[in-house]
PDB file of all heavy atoms in Angstrom:
ATOM      1  N   GLY A  51      -6.605 -14.088 -10.904  1.00  0.00           N
ATOM      2  CA  GLY A  51      -5.637 -14.973 -11.574  1.00  0.00           C
ATOM      3  C   GLY A  51      -4.542 -14.218 -12.297  1.00  0.00           C
ATOM      4  O   GLY A  51      -3.359 -14.411 -12.042  1.00  0.00           O
ATOM      5  N   THR A  52      -4.947 -13.366 -13.250  1.00  0.00           N
ATOM      6  CA  THR A  52      -4.018 -12.524 -14.009  1.00  0.00           C
ATOM      7  C   THR A  52      -4.689 -11.164 -14.201  1.00  0.00           C
ATOM      8  O   THR A  52      -5.903 -11.045 -14.001  1.00  0.00           O
ATOM      9  CB  THR A  52      -3.712 -13.110 -15.415  1.00  0.00           C
ATOM     10  OG1 THR A  52      -4.871 -12.913 -16.240  1.00  0.00           O
ATOM     11  CG2 THR A  52      -3.344 -14.590 -15.367  1.00  0.00           C
ATOM     12  N   PRO A  53      -3.940 -10.144 -14.661  1.00  0.00           N
ATOM     13  CA  PRO A  53      -4.586  -8.838 -14.911  1.00  0.00           C
ATOM     14  C   PRO A  53      -5.667  -8.913 -15.984  1.00  0.00           C
ATOM     15  O   PRO A  53      -6.546  -8.044 -16.039  1.00  0.00           O
ATOM     16  CB  PRO A  53      -3.413  -7.949 -15.347  1.00  0.00           C
ATOM     17  CG  PRO A  53      -2.206  -8.601 -14.748  1.00  0.00           C
ATOM     18  CD  PRO A  53      -2.474 -10.083 -14.783  1.00  0.00           C
ATOM     19  N   ALA A  54      -5.643  -9.961 -16.815  1.00  0.00           N
ATOM     20  CA  ALA A  54      -6.685 -10.104 -17.851  1.00  0.00           C
ATOM     21  C   ALA A  54      -7.989 -10.655 -17.262  1.00  0.00           C
ATOM     22  O   ALA A  54      -9.041 -10.544 -17.892  1.00  0.00           O
ATOM     23  CB  ALA A  54      -6.190 -11.026 -18.958  1.00  0.00           C
ATOM     24  N   GLY A  55      -7.934 -11.207 -16.075  1.00  0.00           N
ATOM     25  CA  GLY A  55      -9.128 -11.800 -15.466  1.00  0.00           C
ATOM     26  C   GLY A  55      -9.975 -10.762 -14.759  1.00  0.00           C
ATOM     27  O   GLY A  55     -10.101 -10.789 -13.528  1.00  0.00           O
ATOM     28  N   LYS A  56     -10.551  -9.868 -15.540  1.00  0.00           N
ATOM     29  CA  LYS A  56     -11.285  -8.734 -14.936  1.00  0.00           C
ATOM     30  C   LYS A  56     -12.651  -9.184 -14.417  1.00  0.00           C
ATOM     31  O   LYS A  56     -13.388  -9.891 -15.110  1.00  0.00           O
ATOM     32  CB  LYS A  56     -11.431  -7.601 -15.941  1.00  0.00           C
ATOM     33  CG  LYS A  56     -10.061  -7.031 -16.315  1.00  0.00           C
ATOM     34  CD  LYS A  56     -10.132  -5.678 -16.916  1.00  0.00           C
ATOM     35  CE  LYS A  56      -8.773  -5.037 -17.161  1.00  0.00           C
ATOM     36  NZ  LYS A  56      -7.596  -5.874 -17.160  1.00  0.00           N
ATOM     37  N   VAL A  57     -12.942  -8.752 -13.186  1.00  0.00           N
ATOM     38  CA  VAL A  57     -14.177  -9.158 -12.512  1.00  0.00           C
ATOM     39  C   VAL A  57     -14.769  -7.914 -11.864  1.00  0.00           C
ATOM     40  O   VAL A  57     -14.071  -7.212 -11.122  1.00  0.00           O
ATOM     41  CB  VAL A  57     -13.830 -10.172 -11.385  1.00  0.00           C
ATOM     42  CG1 VAL A  57     -15.032 -10.443 -10.513  1.00  0.00           C
ATOM     43  CG2 VAL A  57     -13.280 -11.472 -11.958  1.00  0.00           C
ATOM     44  N   ASP A  58     -16.049  -7.619 -12.160  1.00  0.00           N
ATOM     45  CA  ASP A  58     -16.692  -6.494 -11.461  1.00  0.00           C
ATOM     46  C   ASP A  58     -17.285  -7.042 -10.166  1.00  0.00           C
ATOM     47  O   ASP A  58     -18.149  -7.930 -10.200  1.00  0.00           O
ATOM     48  CB  ASP A  58     -17.780  -5.873 -12.350  1.00  0.00           C
ATOM     49  CG  ASP A  58     -18.349  -4.592 -11.717  1.00  0.00           C
ATOM     50  OD1 ASP A  58     -18.386  -4.505 -10.464  1.00  0.00           O
ATOM     51  OD2 ASP A  58     -18.758  -3.696 -12.474  1.00  0.00           O
ATOM     52  N   ILE A  59     -16.848  -6.499  -9.045  1.00  0.00           N
ATOM     53  CA  ILE A  59     -17.301  -7.011  -7.744  1.00  0.00           C
ATOM     54  C   ILE A  59     -18.818  -6.874  -7.599  1.00  0.00           C
ATOM     55  O   ILE A  59     -19.459  -7.716  -6.949  1.00  0.00           O
ATOM     56  CB  ILE A  59     -16.536  -6.331  -6.571  1.00  0.00           C
ATOM     57  CG1 ILE A  59     -16.806  -7.031  -5.240  1.00  0.00           C
ATOM     58  CG2 ILE A  59     -16.817  -4.844  -6.503  1.00  0.00           C
ATOM     59  CD1 ILE A  59     -16.265  -8.409  -5.097  1.00  0.00           C
ATOM     60  N   ALA A  60     -19.409  -5.856  -8.217  1.00  0.00           N
ATOM     61  CA  ALA A  60     -20.875  -5.705  -8.151  1.00  0.00           C
ATOM     62  C   ALA A  60     -21.562  -6.866  -8.868  1.00  0.00           C
ATOM     63  O   ALA A  60     -22.605  -7.351  -8.416  1.00  0.00           O
ATOM     64  CB  ALA A  60     -21.299  -4.360  -8.734  1.00  0.00           C
ATOM     65  N   ASP A  61     -20.954  -7.343  -9.965  1.00  0.00           N
ATOM     66  CA  ASP A  61     -21.520  -8.500 -10.687  1.00  0.00           C
ATOM     67  C   ASP A  61     -21.394  -9.771  -9.846  1.00  0.00           C
ATOM     68  O   ASP A  61     -22.306 -10.598  -9.832  1.00  0.00           O
ATOM     69  CB  ASP A  61     -20.807  -8.712 -12.032  1.00  0.00           C
ATOM     70  CG  ASP A  61     -21.162  -7.627 -13.036  1.00  0.00           C
ATOM     71  OD1 ASP A  61     -22.195  -6.943 -12.834  1.00  0.00           O
ATOM     72  OD2 ASP A  61     -20.390  -7.440 -13.996  1.00  0.00           O
ATOM     73  N   VAL A  62     -20.266  -9.916  -9.149  1.00  0.00           N
ATOM     74  CA  VAL A  62     -20.050 -11.097  -8.287  1.00  0.00           C
ATOM     75  C   VAL A  62     -21.177 -11.210  -7.261  1.00  0.00           C
ATOM     76  O   VAL A  62     -21.599 -12.304  -6.894  1.00  0.00           O
ATOM     77  CB  VAL A  62     -18.672 -11.009  -7.577  1.00  0.00           C
ATOM     78  CG1 VAL A  62     -18.530 -12.077  -6.495  1.00  0.00           C
ATOM     79  CG2 VAL A  62     -17.531 -11.099  -8.575  1.00  0.00           C
ATOM     80  N   CYS A  63     -21.669 -10.051  -6.800  1.00  0.00           N
ATOM     81  CA  CYS A  63     -22.644 -10.030  -5.690  1.00  0.00           C
ATOM     82  C   CYS A  63     -24.100 -10.033  -6.145  1.00  0.00           C
ATOM     83  O   CYS A  63     -24.993 -10.072  -5.300  1.00  0.00           O
ATOM     84  CB  CYS A  63     -22.364  -8.821  -4.797  1.00  0.00           C
ATOM     85  SG  CYS A  63     -20.759  -8.940  -3.987  1.00  0.00           S
ATOM     86  N   LYS A  64     -24.322 -10.011  -7.466  1.00  0.00           N
ATOM     87  CA  LYS A  64     -25.720  -9.989  -7.962  1.00  0.00           C
ATOM     88  C   LYS A  64     -26.407 -11.312  -7.681  1.00  0.00           C
ATOM     89  O   LYS A  64     -25.909 -12.375  -8.053  1.00  0.00           O
ATOM     90  CB  LYS A  64     -25.731  -9.733  -9.478  1.00  0.00           C
ATOM     91  CG  LYS A  64     -25.921  -8.276  -9.819  1.00  0.00           C
ATOM     92  CD  LYS A  64     -26.073  -8.054 -11.319  1.00  0.00           C
ATOM     93  CE  LYS A  64     -25.658  -6.628 -11.629  1.00  0.00           C
ATOM     94  NZ  LYS A  64     -25.017  -6.449 -12.908  1.00  0.00           N
ATOM     95  N   GLY A  65     -27.556 -11.269  -6.987  1.00  0.00           N
ATOM     96  CA  GLY A  65     -28.361 -12.472  -6.775  1.00  0.00           C
ATOM     97  C   GLY A  65     -27.751 -13.464  -5.807  1.00  0.00           C
ATOM     98  O   GLY A  65     -28.180 -14.610  -5.736  1.00  0.00           O
TER      99      GLY A  65
END
Side-chain angles (χ1 to χ4, degrees):
T52 73
K56 296 199 174 17
V57 170
D58 187 329
I59 191 68
D61 289 341
V62 170
C63 295
K64 265 186 204 146

